[in-house]
Amino acid sequence: MDILRFITAGSVDDGKSTLIGRLLFDTKQIYLDQLEAIESSGRVNEDGEMDLSLLTDGLKAEREQGITIDVAYKYFTTPKRKFIIADAPGHIQYTRNMVTGASNSNLSIILVDARNGVQEQTRRHSIISSLLGIPHLVICINKMDLVGFDESVYNQIVEDYKQFSKKLTSKDITFIPVSALKGDNIVDRSTAMPWYDGPSLLEHLEQVPVSQDFNLEDSRFPVQYVIRPHTHEHHDYRGYAGKVISGIYRKGDKVVVLPSGQTSTIKSVELGGKELEEAFAPQSVVLQLEDDVDISRGDVIVKQEEELDVTKEFEALVCWMNAKALKPGAKLLLRHNSTETRAVIREIQYKVDVNTLDRIEDVDQVQLNDICRVQVRTATPLLVDPYLKNRSNGGFILIDETSFTTVGAGMVAIVSHESELNYMI
Amino acid sequence: MTKRYLDYLDQLEAEAIHIMREVAGQFQKPALLFSGGKDSITLVRLAEKAFRPGKFPFPLVHIDTGHNFPEAIKYRDELAEKLGEKLVVRHVEDTIKKQNLSEPVGRYASRNGLQTYTLLETIEEFGFDCCIGGARRDEEKARAKERIFSVRDEFGQWDPKRQRPELWNIYNGRIAQGENVRAFPISNWTELDVWNYIKRENITLPNIYFTHERECLVRDGKLMATSDFIYREPEDEVVTRKVRFRTVGDMTCTAAVESVAYDIDSVIAEILDSKISERGATRIDDKLTETAMEDRKKGGYF
Ligand SMILES: Nc1nc2c(ncn2[C@@H]2O[C@H](COP(=O)(O)OP(=O)(O)OP(=O)(O)O)[C@@H](O)[C@H]2O)c(=O)[nH]1
Ligand SMILES: [Mg+2]
């Protein structure tokens, strides 16, 4: 069985939490005691329908205000797949929580209220999903019950969205008319919308391909920890513990350790003290090398034929997540996989208009929830890839040097001299 | 195109190992909170996968309420012995004496809440900067909201409104003086995933996880194991039933479920069939208010 990780996004009150509640309810993954808890909270509407959003809105403040503030993670399984859901908040002030949920997702469900159509938050969340390299988007036109299940309303919204989405990098976009509250086209196909002949949302989620979402081409093994038992039995043992974030590693592979450039050969690939034939993304393993090389946390083991450069300079897109504005010259900590280094934002090249995807040039600062393109310089050299080429080696976070909170999510666009990839913005 | 396939349990395992190694790499003085329950037993297996043939870069720490199942305590000591890893045990009893706390009384009396005090004392005693815990997001609605690296202030408090963004699998373990982190490697596992993993890995569990005859009090429709610690009224009904435990915690707040499941397969079949959630079936403490878990976490609980 494989895993599909997805997020629900879209504007405030468009029905994200209700949709997840409905998915869980109709696949019978809600326990009786959880239902009783909702019933006893008294949140049932005049039609006797339970407020299913309470299944994910678990915080006191959320239940009081009837909104989602932070991401909730929910789990369900069908005979076909295990699903990990991140229910994101719609409010703009909680965008960073939406980004948190989106960063690990392979599919993004964007909800649109059929009465309101495409909104600024619909666009913002679509752009963020696309920037984060989420390969599959599903646009659920929700609350179809409130527009009389009218096909023309649906068609108009699909048209509007397509107009906007031409500029997105995510190319696999699916549209489904639903009613999260009533359950139309969520698990079972709707009888109220005979004009729609596509799959229900769950049918779609069960068949979206996920296997090719891991990069098996570029070998990247950041060392997290060095295992040195110092026992009689394992006197000279030195194992490099880490996760294959992309690529495949086998015994006998010739490797280079970056940034030092030392070379060696893989002596063994192990997991839990047992030898493996090979290790591939996203496995966590231990590599032993033939030679005594000096390796510590933060170094990256790559295969020799790939001959890569490490760099201190690159351009990146950044979602800024701090109330304090980002200005050129800002000094921050930058964490990329298992490396942490100091970094300076040398230049803010432009800001992205989240409605039109246009560039806004000549900006001297970037506010909370803005998306911008910057030039970064780091204190130590890093082995980074353009994010869209290798999602697991192109992302980094920015950390405030005094509060230590995470203030930015960065995605590498261009590495030093490398030519620009197919970036839309 | 090259193709590889990693089963969901292997994916969850890889993620958990990665998180444990980030803890080892980022912190000076981590600890693994070990309760003797199946989730922390799973954590221990994951730690073996992450660090063998080396030693764990952290001790196992148990906060003992003094009201634990003797089977769980015996299992704990034997496991630490077999692994050759360091075990630190600190007792709620001692905290009660030292801090002059009052022992909870009445029908729902439990030392479960007092564990927080002992945990904070222990963190201070050893200077732990990160505690690894076996909490899962599927357990409870407040847990469903918590980050994998959860920053706590010096009182151990969780502030759900000030959680750090957490991107990809890059975990920010930077903290200020006095703060510490709780790290949850099996956040994305469900109860069933844990059981399937235990099965796959052939892990032996304390026998109270399987069916046995036990004398129980019937309290609010739940079966509570009789013991010297549980509050008892003369009119309380006492029955003997075939039961097992779905979670193993403090005896005063962990209920048994009626069951004839005698091995891992029959437990898995039972969970698949169950209409009640793990905590709903077994925890007395969550039921008291709608947001009991959130309130406890804000107060420094695991
Ligand atoms: N009639 C109707 N109402 C719906 C439907 N889906 C959601 N709602 C209602 O819309 C309101 C908002 O739903 P939520 O699920 O809380 O919305 P949300 O998108 O999660 O909101 P935030 O997370 O705060 O951004 C609730 O009152 C729902 O009952 C639907 O399909 N039809
Ligand atoms: Mg919501």
Side-chain angles (χ1 to χ4, degrees), chain A residues 8-20 43 45 49-54 56-57 65-69 87-91 94 111 113 115 125 141-146 178-184 186:
Chain A
T8 51
S11 198
V12 183
D13 276 352
D14 282 359
K16 301 174 285 296
S17 302
T18 308
L19 179 108
I20 289 176
R43 294 263 289 267
N45 74 6
E49 282 146 340
M50 266 180 291
D51 186 349
L52 290 171
S53 69
L54 290 181
T56 58
D57 290 340
Q65 300 171 46
I67 58 162
T68 305
I69 292 172
D87 179 25
H91 277 80
Y94 306 122
L111 276 90
D113 186 327
R115 296 169 304 175
H125 285 179
I141 320 297
N142 187 33
K143 308 198 187 182
M144 287 300 293
D145 55 301
L146 296 181
V178 302
S179 167
L181 188 69
K182 312 269 179 197
D184 291 82
I186 303 295

Side-chain angles (χ1 to χ4, degrees), chain A residues 1 32-33 60 62-63 70 73 75 82 100 103-104 224 242 278 284-285 297 340 387 404 406, chain B residues 4-5 7-8 14 18 21-22 144-145 163-164 166 168 172 174 188 193 275 277 290-291 294:
Chain A
M1 194 161 54
L32 276 178
D33 52 301
K60 201 179 269 181
E62 294 177 324
R63 297 162 91 83
D70 210 332
Y73 294 90
Y75 305 84
K82 177 182 165 86
T100 291
S103 68
N104 285 316
Q224 291 180 274
E278 61 171 28
S284 286
V285 294
R297 178 177 164 83
E340 195 179 273
Y387 185 82
F404 298 132
T406 305
Chain B
R4 290 292 183 281
Y5 170 77
D7 189 50
Y8 80 105
H18 175 257
R21 288 170 174 169
E22 277 308 290
K145 297 263 164 185
Q163 294 205 89
R164 288 176 178 174
E166 190 163 81
W168 303 288
N172 176 3
R174 280 275 182 162
N188 288 324
D193 296 334
K275 308 237 174 331
S277 75
E290 208 190 6
T291 52
E294 180 180 344

